[in-house]
Amino acid sequence: MDFNGDGIKDLLAGDAEGNVWFFKNTGSATQPKLAAGVKIQAAGKTITGTRRNYEKDANGRYHAVDNPNAIMGVYSKIHVADWNGDGLPDLLVGQDSPRANGGQLLLYRNVGTVKEPKLAAPEPLDIMKGNVSRPSPYVVDWDGDGKRDVLLGTENDQVLFLRNIGTNQRPEFDAPQPIELRGLNKCYRCRIAVVDWNNDGKLDLLVGTRYSAGESGGGNVWLFLRK
């Protein structure tokens, strides 16, 4: 996506340590050339994560415990979108929480400009209505009502739809509902993208998985065409 408003698409990537990397396109739209990656900052500090703590109980089993001094987690999955309708690209990060409750979504609001984005400190988004491990977010108007919704890839064979029942300026979301993905089963780590694949004016869904349909390794990409 075009992160710095120069009309050329760049590359952003999350990693296992919770960092978010920016690879500036120093080429062109038709001949992209990526500069060396730099870690993105928020509120003047590099975005990086903290892993959750584990403690051993009397039976010798380890259990996750809260890390009350940490907000940002690890294994970051990212999406850039205008979250609050102000025309600026914000950053949404789904990841493992440093707390004991599994996955989380963090919002980094853009308090800069289109051409010089500047991210504020992270805000936890309580919209998943439950524990979704390592959520992979995607912001899109999925139901065609003019309001930006959220889709979430998960660690299993589900992609969840969160309908925006608020506005684009003040989004609020219904409880997550699974999207029917016929034929997709026993998959691991669903990562998603939305695009009109066959140019019929309808939004289709691409789902990337680490493995699926009984395969033990390798990657698969599934295409689900909108009826």
Side-chain angles (χ1 to χ4, degrees), residues 42 71-72 83-84 90-93 95 104-111 119-127:
I71 296 177
M72 296 176 289
W83 181 260
N84 55 356
D90 306 302
L91 175 65
L92 193 64
V93 178
Q95 56 187 195
Q104 69 178 3
L105 287 175
L106 295 179
L107 170 65
Y108 295 84
R109 296 182 187 271
N110 185 354
V111 295
L119 300 181
E123 305 172 35
L125 295 177
D126 185 22
I127 65 174

Side-chain angles (χ1 to χ4, degrees), residues 72-86:
M72 296 176 289
V74 293
Y75 295 107
S76 293
K77 277 71 62 181
I78 65 174
H79 188 66
V80 175
D82 180 6
W83 181 260
N84 55 356
D86 63 358

Side-chain angles (χ1 to χ4, degrees), residues 22-40:
F22 171 52
F23 299 86
K24 178 179 171 59
N25 186 355
T26 59
S28 65
T30 56
Q31 293 183 316
K33 182 180 179 181
L34 298 180
V38 295
K39 295 178 181 179
I40 291 181

